[in-house]
Amino acid sequence: MRLALRLTGILVTIASFIFVFSSIYTSFGQVTDDVLSFNFICVVGALTLLYAAALQLVGLAWYRMIVAVEPDSISKPAALSIFNRSQVYKYIPGNVFHMVGRYALAKAAGVTHGALAFSQIGEIAVISVAALLVAALLSTSTLHAHLGKTSIIFFLCATITALVVAVAASSRFRSALNKKSNVLAAVHVFILYVLFFLLNGVMVVALLATSHDYSGSIAPIIGIASAAWLLGFVIPGAPGGLGAREAILIAGMTAIGLPVSTAAAVAIGHRLSTIGGDALVAVIDSVVRWRSGPRR
């Protein structure tokens, strides 16, 4: 089963890269002009800072799930430090290595296996459902108007994927969600993830506004960005969802009538911003720990 999933992930990643490179190649001149423009570079820099801030919402959600099971097991600053430090691990081949690294660092800090297992499975389940909800609510109607039954098939597959993940995690949740306070914690976590996806979508909208005179609704753009994030998250073997997310961004934006060159430039800018954000939080954490010295 694992081999089949790994092979599927590899095939999807290869297909995604081919699609992305083909999209860039067909309009290379325009894509280059957009990406290398001064305004675009400035926006990418600003969005790097925004993404670094948005990541703290995901870090807070992870911390919230840990303390829902094991209160006082770790402080919020320590949890965010571990989260930020491990973000770059996702670029080690395979997009779950940041979770593995985060688990190891938190275990070394004294958090129990039970709390970490719940937080890890909870993250996978709740963040998948949150991404799907944002994508479905904001982009389904627009994509359906352009793609017809194809959009329904896509979101049906995404829904099944999210539900399978959630059901697989349900046994872990059942033991931890037997208290009202823990149910409230799960709701809090869900809200944090939704806010993260809204900010992630705003990043794509900002890049689009910089490279194209777009006058349409921003809702489907945010929804497409969430769908892209979800696919990149569930595809095994793609470092940080590399290739898969860009493919969905380009396919989704061109499906609603945007030029391929614009969609490709936005996808590249978004990837640069997210890589920059991941690297930035890791560097800031390293500097803070170095300045703190032996006391940490």
Side-chain angles (χ1 to χ4, degrees), residues 14-30:
I14 292 173
S16 297
F17 271 112
I18 292 173
F19 175 76
V20 171
F21 283 126
S22 174
S23 299
I24 294 173
Y25 178 77
T26 57
S27 51
F28 183 77
Q30 185 60 52

Side-chain angles (χ1 to χ4, degrees), residues 2-244:
R2 289 184 179 179
L3 179 60
L5 288 173
R6 187 174 301 175
L7 289 175
T8 300
I10 291 173
L11 291 175
V12 171
T13 301
I14 292 173
S16 297
F17 271 112
I18 292 173
F19 175 76
V20 171
F21 283 126
S22 174
S23 299
I24 294 173
Y25 178 77
T26 57
S27 51
F28 183 77
Q30 185 60 52
V31 171
T32 303
D33 290 341
D34 287 341
V35 172
L36 296 181
S37 70
F38 178 76
N39 287 343
F40 195 86
I41 292 173
C42 289
V43 170
V44 168
L47 293 180
T48 295
L49 299 176
L50 176 61
Y51 189 71
L55 283 174
Q56 305 315 297
L57 296 173
V58 183
L60 286 172
W62 178 65
Y63 163 75
R64 191 74 175 86
M65 283 187 284
I66 290 177
V67 297
V69 178
E70 192 177 69
D72 304 320
S73 60
I74 189 171
S75 68
K76 186 184 298 183
L80 288 176
S81 173
I82 290 171
F83 174 84
N84 290 329
R85 204 182 321 167
S86 61
Q87 275 303 104
V88 293
Y89 297 170
K90 69 175 69 170
Y91 299 105
I92 300 171
N95 60 353
V96 295
F97 276 89
H98 60 303
M99 289 186 171
V100 176
R102 196 189 309 163
Y103 184 101
L105 291 171
K107 190 74 170 61
V111 183
T112 65
H113 169 76
L116 289 172
F118 171 76
S119 65
Q120 188 165 305
I121 294 173
E123 178 175 17
I124 293 171
V126 182
I127 206 168
S128 297
V129 174
L132 176 64
L133 181 66
V134 173
L137 289 179
L138 297 184
S139 63
T140 300
S141 60
T142 302
L143 287 175
H144 181 63
H146 290 84
L147 299 179
K149 294 181 179 179
T150 304
S151 64
I152 297 176
I153 293 172
F154 171 78
F155 281 109
L156 181 61
C157 292
T159 300
I160 292 173
T161 301
L163 288 177
V164 167
V165 172
V167 170
S170 63
S171 61
R172 298 280 188 175
F173 275 111
R174 195 176 299 119
S175 61
L177 297 180
N178 55 4
K179 297 180 181 179
K180 182 179 179 180
S181 59
N182 290 350
V183 174
L184 292 175
V187 173
H188 182 204
V189 165
F190 179 79
I191 292 172
L192 288 172
Y193 286 146
V194 169
L195 290 174
F196 168 76
F197 287 118
L198 293 177
L199 287 174
N200 179 66
V202 166
M203 290 174 58
V204 176
V205 172
L207 290 165
L208 177 58
T210 304
S211 58
H212 184 74
D213 186 17
Y214 181 68
S215 58
S217 171
I218 66 172
I221 304 300
I222 295 175
I224 290 167
S226 298
W229 192 99
L230 177 59
L231 183 64
F233 182 69
V234 300
I235 295 298
L242 188 63

